[in-house]
Amino acid sequence: MIRPLLVPALLALGALPALARLPTPAEQGGIEAALRGAGYVSWGSIDVPPAGGRIVVEEARRTPDGPARLVLVKPATMRVTEEVPAR
């Protein structure tokens, strides 16, 4: 079951890719380290919001053929803060 507070956050993420940017090389390294530390082995696009919100990682997988997840990473700590099944 999706937590009630997560639904508005996911709806807000729908507009995020249009406003987001790609991570810098330094950010990319930190994000990838956070994903590997959380057990992920592959992922798709990484979107960094312009206003310092959580970083959105699409198609993150813990096994090469496992289910895809949408993962949020907090930039200040470079830690995974939320994981939800991809649509």
Side-chain angles (χ1 to χ4, degrees):
M1 180 176 173
I2 296 177
R3 289 180 270 173
L5 295 177
L6 185 58
V7 173
L10 291 175
L11 292 174
L13 289 176
L16 185 62
L19 303 174
R21 62 174 175 79
L22 295 175
T24 65
E27 290 170 329
Q28 180 93 19
I31 296 163
E32 290 179 356
L35 292 169
R36 284 190 199 95
Y40 290 97
V41 297
S42 68
W43 44 87
S45 66
I46 299 174
D47 298 317
V48 179
R54 291 185 291 177
I55 298 163
V56 178
V57 181
E58 297 178 7
E59 300 293 318
R61 300 176 193 277
R62 289 203 164 106
T63 60
D65 58 345
R69 301 184 71 77
L70 177 75
V71 176
L72 302 177
V73 177
K74 186 175 180 182
T77 61
M78 284 300 176
R79 296 210 183 265
V80 172
T81 59
E82 200 74 52
E83 304 171 358
V84 295
R87 293 183 198 186

